[in-house]
Amino acid sequence: MMDVARLAGVSHQTVSRVLNEHKNVSEQTRLKVRAAIAELGYRPDRAARALVTGTSQVIGVVAQNSSLFGPASMLNAFEEAAQAVGFAVNVSSVRSLDQRSIAEAVDRHLDQRVAGIVMIAPVASAGPALEHLPADVPLVTIDGDPERSSTLVTVDQEAGARAATQRLLDAGHRTVWHISGPSDWFDAAGRVRGWEQTLTDSGVEIPPLLTGDWSAASGYRNGQLLARLPDVTAVFTANDHIALGLLRALNEHGRRVPDDVSIIGFDDVPEAAYFTPPLTTVRPDFAAVATASLELLMEQVSGAAEVGRRRTVAPELIERGSVAPPAV
């Protein structure tokens, strides 16, 4: 900062005012300081700045190290939302969302004096860790346990599953089969509830639940069974990768989509529009979840909100070519 002050011909206090965007600095002085900052490549020490000002422009994120489309897309969306309003994001990736890993990740963030913490915690194992976090730390959970009292933002998984299941029933199918995600994922459980409730409300038979692991391979394995059942005419899969594996299995057994079997997925991965046929799917609004999470976190940081607030973001059904009326 002293180097910037010397180059700009101002005091280091003036440099500090410019960095903190104080109003009592002339535009000419502000431009001189910004030019000196750019010339020297100066970057403020955010941790030191937090110590002096009592604030931080960094948000800590705890997330599982995963290549799965949903969590990865959620993390990217949050980083973009935070950067758009001037916050840096420090991501602490953990191998598993267990109590010890989460506690260590949170401690690392607190040592760096972050403004608050966002936890992407879609699995049940993350729940106990939330109970042992410091109560005075601003915290928002994304896709966490809806039964806990922490501040939570999530996609409305049940609404998405209801929309997919109802779309297949409206096409004329007598019932809808479901290949779910892992049972310890809150997303998967919500989609199962939405599927079951829609079938119950429609008064139709609920087929046995099949379980996958989010992978195309699990869709293919379950598809080997479904392809052999002539009564199966409609399947809702918990994500698009499961749908991809199912498509291959049905094709290998001579079951055409959508002529013989209709399929709807969930997530709207970029490749979904290029499946054969293009996949009808449910699109979560990751950007809206990220924005809502950031808003709730900032409200906690400013002391304007109580812990335990909830935001639920509705997904959208994207119509393509994988749904048709059942063959007569």
Side-chain angles (χ1 to χ4, degrees), residues 1-19 29 32-40 42:
M1 189 180 292
M2 296 300 294
D3 292 337
V4 171
R6 279 193 292 269
L7 182 59
V10 300
S11 67
H12 72 274
Q13 292 95 335
T14 298
V15 175
S16 177
R17 293 189 189 100
V18 171
L19 291 171
T29 299
K32 286 169 58 179
V33 171
R34 290 294 181 191
I37 288 172
E39 182 175 338
L40 294 173
Y42 172 70

Side-chain angles (χ1 to χ4, degrees), residues 93-288:
S93 297
V94 296
R95 288 193 174 185
S96 64
L97 289 168
D98 57 71
Q99 184 172 335
R100 179 177 178 180
S101 298
I102 290 175
E104 291 175 350
V106 169
D107 285 344
R108 288 194 295 271
H109 284 314
L110 296 182
D111 287 344
Q112 296 171 16
R113 301 180 182 274
V114 297
I117 293 175
V118 169
M119 189 176 302
I120 302 175
V123 295
S125 61
L130 296 175
E131 299 176 356
H132 297 88
L133 297 183
D136 60 343
V137 176
L139 172 69
V140 172
T141 304
I142 295 177
D143 287 342
D145 187 351
E147 300 301 320
R148 294 189 177 274
S149 59
S150 56
T151 301
L152 174 67
V153 182
T154 184
V155 173
D156 193 335
Q157 311 293 347
E158 292 188 35
R162 288 195 299 270
T165 306
Q166 191 62 55
R167 174 67 181 89
L168 291 165
L169 292 176
D170 289 345
H173 296 277
R174 296 178 60 185
T175 191
V176 178
W177 290 68
H178 181 47
I179 305 176
S180 77
S183 60
D184 61 336
W185 282 66
F186 301 119
D187 293 1
R191 293 168 198 178
V192 169
R193 287 194 298 271
W195 164 72
E196 288 182 333
Q197 190 60 56
T198 304
L199 295 182
T200 299
D201 292 346
S202 300
V204 302
E205 178 184 359
I206 301 177
L209 176 66
L210 303 177
T211 303
D213 60 7
W214 302 127
S215 71
S218 68
Y220 180 76
R221 288 194 299 269
N222 283 291
Q224 293 295 318
L225 168 64
L226 294 175
R228 292 180 170 88
L229 301 177
D231 290 342
V232 174
T233 65
V235 184
F236 162 50
T237 65
N239 76 347
D240 294 345
H241 288 103
I242 293 175
L244 178 61
L246 174 61
L247 280 166
R248 176 177 172 179
L250 292 171
N251 180 67
E252 289 181 353
H253 287 269
R255 303 290 300 279
R256 298 167 300 167
V257 178
D259 304 74
D260 301 318
V261 181
S262 291
I263 300 175
I264 295 181
F266 206 113
D267 277 346
D268 193 25
V269 299
E271 301 83 3
Y274 302 95
F275 288 2
T276 303
L279 184 66
T280 296
T281 186
V282 178
R283 177 188 294 165
D285 192 339
F286 295 116

Side-chain angles (χ1 to χ4, degrees), residues 50-129:
L51 284 170
V52 173
T53 66
T55 63
S56 171
Q57 293 297 111
V58 182
I59 297 171
V61 175
V62 179
Q64 188 169 11
N65 186 7
S66 172
S67 60
L68 289 171
F69 178 78
S73 298
M74 191 65 261
L75 177 58
N76 290 338
F78 185 81
E79 288 183 298
E80 290 180 2
Q83 290 167 5
V85 294
F87 279 84
V89 174
N90 188 354
V91 180
S92 184
S93 297
V94 296
R95 288 193 174 185
S96 64
L97 289 168
D98 57 71
Q99 184 172 335
R100 179 177 178 180
S101 298
I102 290 175
E104 291 175 350
V106 169
D107 285 344
R108 288 194 295 271
H109 284 314
L110 296 182
D111 287 344
Q112 296 171 16
R113 301 180 182 274
V114 297
I117 293 175
V118 169
M119 189 176 302
I120 302 175
V123 295
S125 61

